[in-house]
Amino acid sequence: MKTQVVLLAGILTAILFWSNRAGAIAFTGSANYSTSLAIPDNNSLGVADTENFTLTGATSISSLQVTLDIAGGWNGDYYAYLRHGSSGFTVLLNRVGVNGAGQYGYGDSGFNVTFSDNAANGDIHSYQNVTGFGGGTVTGTWQPDGRNVDPTLVTGLTPRTAMLSSFTGMDPNGEWTLFVSDNSPVGIGTLTGWGIAITADRSEE
C-alpha cells in the first residue's frame, strides 16, 4: 500500500510539472525612468520620452500599471498618453476637471500617481470628487483618463478612447513613449519621471 501511495504521488507530481511547463507562467518586470523635461506652456506639441523596455522571455502582456511624476504647473492643462507598438495607446490625462469647452480644469499643481484600469479611486479626470485636493500634488492610484477623450477639450489632437487594457496581448519588449503637453496658458510644469510595471506571460516548454 505504501508503495502505491508513493507511486501515485510521483505521478501527480509529474503531471503538475509537465502541466506547468506546457502552460504560460506569469511574471512581472518594472522600470522607472528619470527625466527632467520642461513642458512648454500652452503648446500642444508637448514633450515626449521614449525608452526601451526589456522583459526577457515574455510573450504577451496580461496587465500593466504606469507611474507618472509631474512637478508644478496647472493640472487642468495637462494631456498625457502612453504608446507602444502599432496599436498600444492609452490616454492617462486629458485636462482633468474640464467638463466642457472653455473651462480651465483643476488648479492643483503636480502629479505623483499610479495608473491602473481597476483602481478603486476611479477615473482621475474627476479626482477632486474623491479626495478634494486643494492646491497640492495629486497622489494615489487612479484609473486613466482614457474614457474622457473629447476633441473639443484639446485643440489639434486626434480624439482617442483607450485604457491600459489596449496593451493586453502585446509583446512588452521594445520602445515605449510617454507624451505630455500643456494645453492652456499660465503655469509651467516639468515631467520629472515615469515608469511601467508589466505582468506578462512566458511559455515554458
Side-chain angles (χ1 to χ4, degrees):
M1 184 61 147
K2 183 175 180 181
T3 302
Q4 291 177 334
V5 171
V6 172
L7 179 60
L8 180 59
I11 292 172
L12 290 173
T13 299
I15 291 172
L16 289 172
F17 174 78
W18 287 109
S19 175
N20 285 337
R21 296 269 302 172
I25 300 174
F27 66 120
T28 300
S30 61
N32 294 299
Y33 307 110
S34 295
T35 60
S36 185
L37 299 174
I39 304 168
D41 188 33
N42 194 28
N43 188 337
S44 62
L45 294 179
V47 294
D49 182 57
T50 298
E51 303 287 348
N52 201 301
F53 180 80
T54 301
L55 191 57
T56 303
T59 57
S60 63
I61 297 171
S62 56
S63 65
L64 169 69
Q65 290 190 339
V66 180
T67 57
L68 178 64
D69 294 324
I70 296 176
W74 183 284
N75 286 356
D77 291 352
Y78 292 127
Y79 175 87
Y81 66 73
L82 181 69
R83 186 179 71 240
H84 174 60
S86 60
S87 60
F89 183 95
T90 186
V91 175
L92 303 175
L93 299 173
N94 185 29
R95 303 203 61 192
V96 293
V98 174
N99 294 311
Q103 293 189 9
Y104 292 108
Y106 296 150
D108 309 305
S109 185
F111 293 93
N112 184 4
V113 294
T114 298
F115 291 100
S116 171
D117 278 355
N118 300 312
N121 278 333
D123 188 349
I124 198 168
H125 191 80
S126 304
Y127 68 75
Q128 282 193 353
N129 293 342
V130 178
T131 59
F133 281 100
T137 299
V138 181
T139 60
T141 302
W142 301 87
Q143 295 172 15
D145 206 344
R147 62 174 60 83
N148 288 294
V149 185
D150 182 342
T152 66
L153 304 184
V154 185
T155 303
L157 294 176
T158 303
R160 297 291 295 269
T161 301
M163 303 296 282
L164 293 170
S165 58
S166 72
F167 300 104
T168 300
M170 298 184 68
D171 184 343
N173 296 288
E175 291 186 347
W176 291 77
T177 298
L178 181 83
F179 171 88
V180 184
S181 63
D182 178 319
N183 295 277
S184 186
V186 181
I188 298 175
T190 302
L191 174 62
T192 59
W194 64 285
I196 50 178
I198 295 175
T199 299
D201 295 330
R202 64 180 170 191
S203 180
E204 295 288 344
E205 298 179 352

